[in-house]
Amino acid sequence: MICNEKMYGLGAKRSVIRELFEYGKMRKAAVGEDKVYDFSLGNPSVPPPPAVKEALIKMLTEESEIALHGYTSAQGDKGTRDTIAAHYAEEYGFRLDPDMMYMTCGAAASLTITLNAIVKDPSDEVVTFAPFFPEYRVFTEKAGAKLVVCPPAAGLEIDVKAFESLLNEHTRAVIINSPNNPSGVLYPEEQVKAVAAALERAEAKFGTTIYLISDEPYRALVFDGKKATCFPSYYKDTVVCYSYSKSLSLPGERIGYIAVSPLATEAQELYLAVCGAGRALGYVCAPALFQRLVKACDGLTSDVNIYRENRDILYSALTEMGFTCAYPSGAFYLFVKAPSGDANEFSEEAKKMDILVVPSDSFGCEGYVRIAYCVSTDLIRRSLPAFKALAAKYFL
Ligand code: PLP
């Protein structure tokens, strides 16, 4: 092959999610938009808070175009980083250092930059918890390490014993994602504490540093009066990878950040490696207009109540019909057990009812389907008879 075979493979093979989304588009054209219940993609359906449009209009009408669209410093606008650090301190009581933050093109860039900054040897391992966002494998392998998957405990929470048994002298990093895509589960505080303690024991035992990479695109989407975890307060060697894709409903604008905890081992060295990886990967200067937008809107969130209402309707209807799923306290996903145990079979049966749900194998957890309920509440209500017909195939 004339080009890089691994890259060719990634480009040539569409993800299962994209495949299903494309099928949905075709099907909608054939039978009508309103007849297909497309739960395939995590694309927010709730508009950004009104302040987003207002801030954009104000910037575009009142500020110098040259300054507005010009390069910022490679690691991002200082005023934006100062604002983010100040809001984070207000929200979580933890002081991030603006000079250890790097503005990025969303969580995907945050993760790939961080992994490239940390991984240094082909024997390096990165552990993550199943179920997990499938791109973790792509990013980890491209950074030159091996992804090690920790299977879940009951309720799709963390099996801390299993996790600790996977840590060894090769473990360089751990990726954690809470609230979780695809399960919506928010890991309870006692499990976060137990993970931190296991990491500290492993660092002492192997004489190494293990960085905890907290992937947080759903940090602001938490329901029932709960609050997302501030990982740097539990474990010092933490790197926060944040994104505004879901919190401000701006997935196409590509904006987020990396924050190396100022308490981390060799924090300054790691931060410079993050800056170096950003440079090497061509990610210097995240989109300037949206860095400035974030300065005006950080701390705001799209209307979470709409996602909560969707969750409530779907969770109670599906469990009443006989389906089983872990209770989602955040994000906008429901991870439903395939009644036959076969995720692909279940997804295909659902397709016959024009319900599009993603089989779970690529999430590192067999036997489930993911429902992305970031769709209109009307679509959720209209989909219930189709779910009922699907349930009838299994439970009557
Ligand atoms: N991490 C998780 C868990 C996600 O679900 C997503 C996107 O859906 C990402 C990272 C990538 O986010 P972004 O669009 O901000 O790059």
Side-chain angles (χ1 to χ4, degrees):
M1 180 165 267
I2 198 163
C3 52
N4 181 299
E5 202 166 343
K6 183 117 194 169
M7 293 305 109
Y8 171 83
L10 286 172
K13 194 169 153 253
R14 261 205 304 243
S15 78
V16 184
I17 300 173
R18 289 274 156 191
E19 204 73 61
L20 207 58
F21 179 66
E22 293 303 323
Y23 168 83
K25 280 205 292 203
M26 227 174 56
R27 189 72 189 141
K28 282 172 199 169
V31 299
E33 188 85 20
D34 60 326
K35 305 268 184 326
V36 181
Y37 312 111
D38 185 355
F39 297 103
S40 61
L41 211 59
N43 214 0
S45 57
V46 176
V52 165
K53 198 179 198 172
E54 287 159 20
L56 284 171
I57 292 171
K58 190 167 187 310
M59 281 191 290
L60 289 170
T61 48
E62 293 178 12
E63 291 187 27
S64 141
E65 284 161 277
I66 300 291
L68 204 56
H69 301 298
Y71 288 121
T72 65
S73 62
Q75 66 271 41
D77 175 66
K78 175 77 164 79
T80 302
R81 289 183 280 122
D82 285 344
T83 302
I84 295 170
H87 282 159
Y88 193 90
E90 267 169 42
E91 179 81 16
Y92 297 107
F94 185 93
R95 189 90 216 145
L96 294 172
D97 182 347
D99 292 329
M100 289 199 184
M101 297 174 81
Y102 191 95
M103 300 305 296
T104 66
C105 299
S110 301
L111 289 165
T112 201
I113 291 172
T114 303
L115 286 162
N116 274 275
I118 292 173
V119 171
K120 52 181 187 176
D121 189 274
S123 65
D124 284 353
E125 294 182 1
V126 174
V127 180
T128 199
F129 303 95
F132 63 91
F133 181 54
E135 297 302 276
Y136 292 169
R137 189 177 295 287
V138 178
F139 301 155
T140 301
E141 290 178 359
K142 183 58 195 147
K146 179 179 155 205
L147 188 74
V148 175
V149 178
C150 179
L156 301 175
E157 293 183 351
I158 295 177
D159 182 340
V160 182
K161 259 199 175 148
F163 169 64
E164 190 155 12
S165 74
L166 296 173
L167 303 176
N168 60 45
E169 66 275 25
H170 299 295
T171 312
R172 296 282 296 142
V174 172
I175 307 176
I176 196 159
N177 170 227
S178 174
N180 178 269
N181 173 11
S183 71
V185 167
L186 184 70
Y187 297 135
E189 189 186 17
E190 72 272 11
Q191 285 178 14
V192 173
K193 283 186 177 160
V195 164
L199 285 170
E200 281 161 11
R201 280 194 294 273
E203 286 191 327
K205 182 170 167 192
F206 302 115
T208 55
T209 298
I210 305 174
Y211 291 109
L212 180 66
I213 302 171
S214 176
D215 178 25
E216 306 187 353
Y218 303 98
R219 187 174 81 207
L221 307 186
V222 176
F223 319 128
D224 312 326
K226 292 187 179 163
K227 199 165 175 173
T229 307
C230 169
F231 282 94
S233 338
Y234 290 90
Y235 183 64
K236 71 180 174 58
D237 289 328
T238 294
V239 182
V240 172
C241 287
Y242 189 74
S243 163
Y244 295 89
S245 295
K246 321 287 173 167
S247 60
L248 290 180
S249 303
L250 297 173
E253 305 302 350
R254 316 308 299 138
I255 189 76
Y257 64 82
I258 299 165
V260 172
S261 169
L263 307 180
T265 308
E266 299 295 355
Q268 184 61 25
E269 183 185 307
L270 175 58
Y271 178 65
L272 291 177
V274 162
C275 295
R279 178 180 170 191
L281 294 165
Y283 277 129
V284 292
C285 179
L289 182 63
F290 280 84
Q291 287 193 50
R292 292 177 175 112
L293 183 273
V294 159
K295 186 175 167 193
C297 297
D298 181 65
L300 302 178
T301 308
S302 302
D303 190 353
V304 173
N305 284 324
I306 300 177
Y307 295 131
R308 189 200 33 76
E309 187 182 1
N310 288 358
R311 191 262 331 244
D312 289 347
I313 295 170
L314 210 49
Y315 180 83
S316 48
L318 293 193
T319 49
E320 228 163 79
M321 288 174 200
F323 294 111
T324 316
C325 48
Y327 186 74
S329 294
F332 39 51
Y333 304 106
L334 213 59
F335 209 45
V336 182
K337 241 186 181 141
S340 65
D342 182 338
N344 287 304
E345 179 268 344
F346 186 42
S347 170
E348 286 303 315
E349 283 304 315
K351 239 175 170 179
K352 291 181 191 161
M353 311 284 166
D354 282 317
I355 299 172
L356 307 186
V357 291
V358 182
S360 64
D361 301 10
S362 58
F363 299 110
C365 193
E366 288 176 6
Y368 292 80
V369 296
R370 186 190 78 173
I371 298 178
Y373 60 77
C374 46
V375 295
S376 71
T377 307
D378 174 59
L379 186 144
I380 303 249
R381 290 192 207 282
R382 283 190 292 105
S383 71
L384 297 182
F387 274 112
K388 202 155 194 180
L390 181 62
K393 290 195 168 183
Y394 294 99
F395 305 122
L396 286 186

